[in-house]
Amino acid sequence: MTILTNFPDLPFSREEALRYLGYRGMSADKNLLALLEEVRQEVKAELIPAAALQEETVERKGEELTIGKIVTASRSLGRNLKDCKKAVLFGATAGVGIDRLLIRYAKISPFKEALVQAVGAVYVEAVADMVCRFIAEQNPNSDMVARFSPGYGDFPLSYQTDFFSALPLNKIGITLNSSLIMSPSKSVTAIVGLKEKV
Amino acid sequence: MNLRKAIKKNLLFLDGGMGTMLQKKGLGAGELPEMWNITHAEEVTAIHLAYLQAGANAITTNTFGANALHYDDKTLKEVIDKGIALAKGAVKKKGKGYVLFDIGPCGRLLKPYGELDFEEAVELFSRTVRLVKNRVDGFLIETMNDSYETKAAVLAVKENSKLPLLVTNVYGADGKLMTGATVETMVTLLEGLGVDALGMNCSLGSAQMAALIPEFVKYSRLPVIAQPNAGLPKEEDGKTVYGESAEVFSDNLLACVQAGARIVGGCCGTTPAYIAKVAKKCGEYQKSGRKKKKQDMGRSDEGKTPCDERKFARVCSYSQTLRLGEKPVMIGERINPTGKKKLKAALERGDESYILEEALSQEENGADALDVNTGVPGLNEAEALVRTMEGVQSVTSLPLQLDSSDPVALEKAARRYNGKPLVNSVSGKTSVMKEIFPIVKKYGGVVVGLLLDEKGIPPTAEGRVKIAEKILKTGKKYGLGKEDFLFDPLAMAVSADPNGAKVTLETVSALAERGYFTCLGVSNVSFGLPNRELITSVFLAEALDRGLSAAIVNPSSVEVRKTWKSFLALNGQDKDFSGYISFASSVTSSKEEKAISPLSSEEQTLKGAIEKGMKERARELASRLVKEKSAIEIIDGEIIPALDFVGKGFEEKRVFLPQLLMSAEAAKEAFSVVRGSFSGSAEGEKCTVLLATVKGDIHDIGKNIVKALLENYSFRVVDLGKDVPPEEIVREAKERKAAVVGLSALMTTTLPAMAETVSLLNKVCPNVKVVVGGAVLTQEYAERIGADAYAKDAMATVRYCEEIYGERQGEKE
């Protein structure tokens, strides 16, 4: 098990943030971009990124797939993990500070709330990408497949509980509520398959 | 020797990691560690014993996650009973040692970030504490990364046990808890709650922790605990390893002790080998120290250094600490309905946004803390105070002053407040002291002591100081000290008594000379006089000069700020004059800016400014327009056409959501100027629309957008928030006489709750129209569950509400 808390220089993609805000192929005006940048600084100051990772072997028995604690017949995950003998389970968060901003702006400015949502989503994706890069570095002899999260395809959200028992997510501040929703809201759990380099 | 005495006299060595040891013995990932108390009793005992033999003189039970979220009642009792028995058994075998009952975080995040209510958390921890039945020497609450959950757990222990309580939190590399508290904030909160020792554990490695210990020692009057991890865990060749060796770890813990920590041990990754080295090195240090000077370590500097940080009175929010006695503190007075019609109306109508705007503008104008008073006749004050306090805490991290003459309201608010509050107030009246002091003692707080008693307000300074002494003397019986009080010498209307102000100021001087902290509701002095700000600000200057610790004032008053900023600058309390300079330049620059601001032709009209989403400009232009036109003319001629233009653009996909919202906020600014003359009444409002995100769903951004737009279109919006049970929605719809109820849901899992709410609404309030929306909703589903309408986006909801309003108007005519 590995815990990561050091995420220097998280990249930020303004284009991604605009995409989350519904901009597709159309440029945003100067005023909006300035406010987006203002909000980005605010969100950045609240980031407390952290992640926990655990490597597991992938076993197959007919339709059934076993990755450590996770036992599933999900076809989409099976396809995703094709040829993978190992996989890393991880949970990552951008921190609860973003939720504080969301709650604040929900009350005083839905506009800024929307911007924080978009910026926060970009940052948590960046944290997850950094985790994947770390996994790649740790496994130079393997090829990494795209990360796969509960809720994708036919791999239901109910598998969140397995992630929470396999990883010390509470210790890094991620909790799961009774509706299987994570708090902080900007958190991600995922499986990253590893296959031998050809 | 009991534990409480022991931690005052000697160093205490705690054990190291329990989870780490259990994993070494075969505990699998995901297995509940506390079950091993039942299934692997021998292994657990062996771990306890190993730590005792390594030199730990206090061990913790294997009960980190023993709470009702993880276990059913029967198993919970069993893991707790066994857990205690195993630890005590090990101590018996060894011959000595203390047993601490271990309590970890519950695993859920508290509201508003998570779903667990504060009282539910208190009850959850209480169930565990009650099962312990005082069979141990003390409690250790550990690994808490949220200050609010920490408070819940502490209350649970204090309400169900008198045993000593040690508390440790998880700090990040930035020296803060996950939810924002600094070391000083946690010391303030935990000292207020009356714990016996405090500190940090887990997360940080020992080197980083050693660097933070001086910060604790600087502020804490209590013994400080250090229980670090052996660095961060890392997977190497399929095994989890920790970065720090026992040698490095123990050297760093010795450094912690040398810096003043009194209770040391280990967390994740540490083993008996680590604790053996810690106990040896720190034990030797303790012995050598004893020889040198027969004094307690760490506390030897107490009271001697002239700038001892511990001498200030302190309050805090969940993240900010306020020191009283260091430099004057400005408490904003605006959230108090006395003499404020608009605020009174807002409280009565449950109009949170008006109140929150007051909070934010005071913060912007430099308030260090905010007074919150909800005393309106006919209103349930306790409920209103808690609701308002929580609302204000959700938008600002400023510490709050809970202000009420109702002890029930004060107790409820002090309990739920996320931090250590200012409490307003107590007086020299025996009956009042009896009611208020237990609240302050239990929840922590700095209480304003009004210098009056059964006989009224003494006419002289001596008389008022005497009451201060009486209050202090009585407070001592409850365990309160000087730093728990802010004495208010009472500012009276000088127009009624020409000597009144003089006596008040003399009292401030006399109290300051005695080293007491003081507070004054300054504005009263000018009551009944014209141009009140002028005399108020001079009185404020005089009081500050005499050493006033805190002033309750209107931060929006330019005169007050002039005095305040100038006083700090003149008194050496504004480093580099940065406070004064930024204030002074803001006073002039806004004038200049107005004179030269270049405008494009589009932006010169209010309509254009709103369409462009320019908030400041919209406010400015609206302010100009109200001098020339009527409110109706401005609303119908400028604001509504702008909103319609943008709304139509949104529907036609020419305008994107952010632009729509920016315009909505610019319109809101313009509205607030135009409605200024309406004095916050319901005048000009259309029918009531009730909004809620249904039970189980916490995604409410869509609902918030709808709210903003509906308000723009002058609907009276009642927002019930997110995760709202059907019964509450129905009850409020009835009570508030809503014409339309708008429900949102984002997750498929919450669709049944949506259906249930709609069916209940149709049954109980058949005349109320129900409109539903959200990512997972469709027209077809809306019809199936019996909703009156489906809205595909925020504008569609506005159009629907307009339609319903139109129909209703038609019916009336």
Side-chain angles (χ1 to χ4, degrees):
Chain A
M1 190 260 301
T2 302
I3 288 182
L4 302 174
T5 57
N6 193 19
F7 291 82
D9 310 321
L10 273 179
F12 177 79
S13 158
R14 195 169 77 177
E15 288 61 41
E16 273 299 289
L18 288 170
R19 200 177 60 79
Y20 281 119
L21 287 166
Y23 282 80
R24 285 188 173 82
M26 201 181 142
S27 58
D29 77 358
K30 225 170 51 198
N31 193 9
L32 177 76
L33 292 179
L35 287 164
L36 185 65
E37 176 58 20
E38 202 179 282
V39 164
R40 184 179 82 84
Q41 294 295 345
E42 231 178 310
V43 172
K44 203 176 161 206
E46 293 285 350
L47 290 176
I48 320 168
L53 304 75
Q54 173 78 44
E55 193 180 290
E56 302 287 357
T57 53
V58 179
E59 283 157 34
R60 285 184 180 78
K61 226 187 241 166
E63 294 281 283
E64 201 177 82
L65 205 58
T66 305
I67 313 122
K69 292 278 298 174
I70 293 168
V71 182
T72 174
S74 160
R75 279 157 180 261
S76 7
L77 181 59
R79 272 196 300 276
N80 175 266
L81 293 181
K82 189 170 174 286
D83 301 331
C84 296
K85 292 206 175 88
K86 287 193 303 182
V88 178
L89 304 183
F90 79 86
T93 183
V96 78
I98 299 175
D99 292 273
R100 189 160 47 236
L101 288 177
L102 287 172
I103 290 162
R104 180 181 151 91
Y105 285 129
K107 300 218 170 187
I108 58 180
S109 168
F111 164 63
K112 284 206 172 171
E113 185 192 6
L115 296 191
V116 174
Q117 282 286 6
V119 171
V122 171
Y123 271 123
V124 72
E125 287 298 312
V127 172
D129 289 344
M130 290 279 265
V131 172
C132 289
R133 201 187 307 166
F134 173 84
I135 296 169
E137 279 165 16
Q138 296 290 304
N139 297 279
N141 300 320
S142 303
D143 277 330
M144 205 170 65
V145 303
R147 61 184 150 92
F148 198 91
S149 293
Y152 287 12
D154 65 351
F155 186 48
L157 213 53
S158 58
Y159 280 94
Q160 288 286 34
T161 47
D162 289 335
F163 279 87
F164 275 75
S165 58
L167 297 162
L169 297 181
N170 282 339
K171 285 230 162 174
I172 58 167
I174 311 179
T175 62
L176 191 65
N177 79 10
S178 51
S179 324
L180 303 169
I181 298 297
M182 289 186 281
S183 298
S185 62
K186 296 295 173 246
S187 302
V188 169
T189 51
I191 299 175
V192 182
L194 294 166
K195 54 185 172 191
E196 274 169 40
K197 263 196 177 142
V198 271
Chain B
M1 198 180 337
N2 75 30
L3 182 64
R4 205 165 261 142
K5 266 190 198 154
I7 57 175
K8 281 184 191 147
K9 261 192 109 153
N10 299 314
L11 292 180
L12 189 73
F13 303 127
L14 299 174
D15 52 13
M18 171 59 78
T20 307
M21 294 300 289
L22 291 174
Q23 279 155 15
K24 277 185 201 278
K25 289 181 184 280
L27 177 81
E31 216 180 317
L32 291 171
E34 298 80 20
M35 282 307 286
W36 274 43
N37 293 342
I38 301 167
T39 57
H40 295 71
E42 270 176 37
E43 283 86 344
V44 175
T45 304
I47 295 167
H48 285 320
L49 207 54
Y51 277 122
L52 287 164
Q53 276 156 356
N57 41 26
I59 54 169
T60 47
T61 55
N62 177 32
T63 51
F64 183 87
N67 66 54
L69 283 179
H70 299 141
Y71 295 96
D72 62 52
D73 285 359
K74 190 172 155 270
T75 320
L76 181 62
K77 185 175 181 304
E78 210 176 335
V79 294
I80 288 174
D81 284 347
K82 286 274 186 169
I84 295 169
L86 297 180
K88 286 177 90 166
V91 165
K92 205 175 166 194
K93 260 188 205 161
K94 165 77 180 157
K96 60 175 181 180
Y98 298 102
V99 172
L100 296 172
F101 186 87
D102 192 65
I103 298 175
C106 70
R108 293 264 170 90
L109 210 51
L110 268 65
K111 283 177 187 169
Y113 310 122
E115 62 174 352
L116 196 65
D117 183 71
F118 179 76
E119 286 301 340
E120 284 176 327
V122 174
E123 179 49 28
L124 191 67
F125 289 118
S126 295
R127 280 171 76 178
T128 296
V129 176
R130 283 194 292 265
L131 287 169
V132 178
K133 294 193 195 112
N134 293 334
R135 285 174 289 172
V136 292
D137 298 296
F139 288 86
L140 174 67
I141 294 173
E142 59 146 313
T143 321
M144 290 282 173
N145 45 30
D146 175 9
S147 52
Y148 206 29
E149 186 182 2
T150 311
K151 180 172 177 177
V154 169
L155 286 179
V157 172
K158 302 287 279 183
E159 286 178 344
N160 294 287
S161 168
K162 290 193 160 45
L163 291 176
L165 171 58
L166 286 60
V167 181
T168 54
N169 291 97
V170 182
Y171 290 82
D174 58 354
K176 288 181 185 171
L177 297 203
M178 185 183 86
T179 49
T182 60
V183 169
E184 188 181 6
T185 303
M186 284 316 293
V187 169
T188 302
L189 175 72
L190 291 169
E191 282 193 348
L193 288 168
V195 308
D196 296 278
L198 54 85
M200 51 188 157
N201 80 316
C202 208
S203 188
L204 292 182
S206 61
Q208 284 167 291
M209 207 173 266
L212 259 188
I213 287 292
E215 187 79 356
F216 275 92
V217 174
K218 190 159 85 178
Y219 302 118
S220 175
R221 300 176 177 98
L222 297 170
V224 172
I225 309 166
Q227 248 191 317
N229 283 353
L232 282 177
K234 225 175 126 183
E235 198 161 302
E236 273 176 17
D237 304 324
K239 275 188 185 163
T240 300
V241 293
Y242 286 80
E244 293 175 352
S245 69
E247 202 60 55
V248 169
F249 182 85
S250 53
D251 281 342
N252 285 328
L253 280 197
L254 176 62
C256 288
V257 168
Q258 285 166 337
R262 311 258 318 151
I263 300 171
V264 289
C267 198
C268 307
T270 63
T271 63
Y274 284 69
I275 298 304
K277 283 204 161 41
V278 170
K280 186 164 177 286
K281 287 180 189 171
C282 299
E284 278 166 8
Y285 173 76
Q286 176 163 248
K287 269 186 205 148
S288 70
R290 284 244 169 84
K291 271 183 213 157
K292 267 187 230 151
K293 37 184 174 176
K294 286 190 173 177
Q295 267 183 3
D296 276 357
M297 297 152 52
R299 297 268 72 94
S300 55
D301 60 341
E302 189 150 27
K304 282 186 181 168
T305 31
C307 56
D308 183 353
E309 297 278 350
R310 277 168 265 159
K311 74 183 175 196
F312 303 120
R314 280 192 170 78
V315 292
C316 64
S317 65
Y318 56 88
S319 67
Q320 279 193 40
T321 315
L322 189 62
R323 299 175 194 167
L324 295 147
E326 190 180 43
K327 63 178 187 181
V329 158
M330 187 194 283
I331 304 173
E333 68 179 12
R334 298 290 302 165
I335 306 178
N336 183 335
T338 315
K340 298 184 193 80
K341 266 194 205 160
K342 281 189 196 174
L343 192 92
K344 187 165 167 271
L347 282 167
E348 281 169 343
R349 298 169 30 176
D351 177 2
E352 193 183 36
S353 58
Y354 180 83
I355 299 166
L356 300 186
E357 271 163 31
E358 280 289 355
L360 291 171
S361 76
Q362 292 184 93
E363 179 175 24
E364 228 165 78
N365 283 322
D368 301 301
L370 303 177
D371 186 83
V372 179
N373 181 314
T374 57
V376 175
L379 202 68
N380 179 333
E381 193 176 343
E383 268 175 32
L385 186 61
V386 169
R387 193 171 55 237
T388 308
M389 169 194 88
E390 290 182 339
V392 174
Q393 281 212 295
S394 70
V395 298
T396 169
S397 59
L398 288 182
L400 303 185
Q401 170 159 284
L402 308 173
D403 183 359
S404 172
S405 53
D406 175 6
V408 177
L410 282 181
E411 141 119 81
K412 288 215 162 123
R415 184 178 176 88
R416 285 187 76 95
Y417 177 69
N418 194 348
K420 176 186 173 192
L422 282 158
V423 177
N424 194 2
S425 60
V426 74
S427 71
K429 290 181 185 169
T430 311
S431 60
V432 176
M433 289 193 280
K434 224 170 127 184
E435 282 175 324
I436 302 298
F437 286 160
I439 299 171
V440 178
K441 181 62 192 167
K442 180 172 178 184
Y443 301 109
V446 170
V447 63
V448 174
L450 305 178
L451 300 186
L452 58 87
D453 63 8
E454 289 83 357
K455 288 178 226 150
I457 304 169
T460 64
E462 296 80 54
R464 292 186 202 178
V465 172
K466 255 191 198 158
I467 294 183
E469 300 288 4
K470 180 169 91 176
I471 292 175
L472 203 53
K473 205 174 145 199
T474 314
K476 279 206 174 116
K477 289 184 201 155
Y478 291 84
L480 301 174
K482 187 180 88 173
E483 59 287 340
D484 297 312
F485 288 98
L486 267 182
F487 291 113
D488 184 344
L490 300 169
M492 315 294 281
V494 70
S495 56
D497 173 9
N499 275 322
K502 235 178 95 203
V503 173
T504 304
L505 291 169
E506 279 166 18
T507 316
V508 172
S509 300
L511 292 166
E513 272 164 31
R514 284 167 171 78
Y516 298 160
F517 304 112
T518 50
C519 157
L520 207 51
V522 176
S523 313
N524 287 348
V525 79
S526 57
F527 188 79
L529 294 174
N531 244 331
R532 289 181 61 180
E533 280 179 295
L534 301 183
I535 195 160
T536 300
S537 59
V538 174
F539 180 64
L540 171 66
E542 283 213 56
L544 290 173
D545 188 45
R546 286 163 189 250
L548 187 71
S549 323
I552 307 177
V553 295
N554 177 6
S556 319
S557 156
V558 177
E559 291 300 326
V560 162
R561 273 184 290 153
K562 269 186 200 167
T563 305
W564 195 273
K565 302 288 179 190
S566 306
F567 177 84
L568 291 185
L570 293 167
N571 207 34
Q573 287 169 323
D574 182 5
K575 216 178 152 219
D576 313 332
F577 284 76
S578 57
Y580 177 78
I581 291 169
S582 85
F583 168 69
S585 51
S586 79
V587 172
T588 46
S589 73
S590 60
K591 275 183 206 157
E592 285 161 16
E593 209 177 328
K594 267 178 199 162
I596 53 163
S597 52
L599 293 169
S600 74
S601 61
E602 227 180 354
E603 293 158 2
Q604 278 174 9
T605 64
L606 179 56
K607 180 169 177 287
I610 293 172
E611 284 167 6
K612 287 252 164 195
M614 303 168 83
K615 236 165 126 176
E616 302 297 317
R617 182 76 68 222
R619 167 171 281 278
E620 199 184 307
L621 289 170
S623 311
R624 280 188 213 164
L625 278 179
V626 282
K627 289 173 195 151
E628 303 158 17
K629 294 180 176 180
S630 75
I632 298 298
E633 276 176 306
I634 300 171
I635 293 171
D636 289 349
E638 303 273 342
I639 303 180
I640 295 294
L643 285 170
D644 283 341
F645 177 78
V646 178
K648 200 152 174 277
F650 177 72
E651 286 164 337
E652 290 166 1
K653 299 195 172 16
R654 280 183 289 109
V655 169
F656 291 105
L657 182 67
Q659 216 69 47
L660 177 73
L661 290 172
M662 278 166 83
S663 294
E665 286 182 18
K668 196 177 166 194
E669 286 290 314
F671 266 123
S672 72
V673 173
V674 175
R675 289 213 188 103
S677 52
F678 291 178
S679 73
S681 74
E683 203 175 326
E685 280 189 349
K686 299 175 184 166
C687 53
T688 298
V689 181
L690 191 91
L691 296 178
T693 299
V694 298
K695 188 166 170 49
D697 214 319
I698 52 160
H699 302 84
D700 65 344
I701 187 161
K703 181 213 68 191
N704 295 334
I705 292 166
V706 169
K707 180 185 174 191
L709 293 186
L710 283 172
E711 280 175 347
N712 274 172
Y713 281 86
S714 297
F715 285 95
R716 180 172 172 198
V717 183
V718 177
D719 179 9
L720 297 183
K722 56 193 176 186
D723 191 10
V724 191
E727 304 76 36
E728 189 183 335
I729 296 172
V730 172
R731 192 186 63 230
E732 293 286 332
K734 251 174 102 176
E735 256 175 40
R736 314 266 194 153
K737 298 191 177 67
V740 181
V741 173
L743 301 173
S744 83
L746 193 107
M747 299 188 297
T748 39
T749 48
T750 52
L751 283 177
M754 172 79 87
E756 192 191 335
T757 310
V758 174
S759 116
L760 200 62
L761 274 168
N762 286 342
K763 208 167 89 190
V764 185
C765 334
N767 294 327
V768 174
K769 298 286 180 190
V770 183
V771 53
V772 298
V776 291
L777 267 292
T778 58
Q779 177 73 42
E780 187 208 346
Y781 188 82
E783 281 167 24
R784 182 140 50 92
I785 62 173
D788 296 291
Y790 160 73
K792 70 172 177 34
D793 56 34
M795 275 315 291
T797 312
V798 173
R799 303 277 185 238
Y800 179 71
C801 292
E802 292 268 76
E803 194 184 303
I804 297 299
Y805 176 68
E807 279 173 21
R808 291 206 155 194
Q809 289 300 100
E811 279 164 25
K812 273 185 199 167
E813 285 158 15

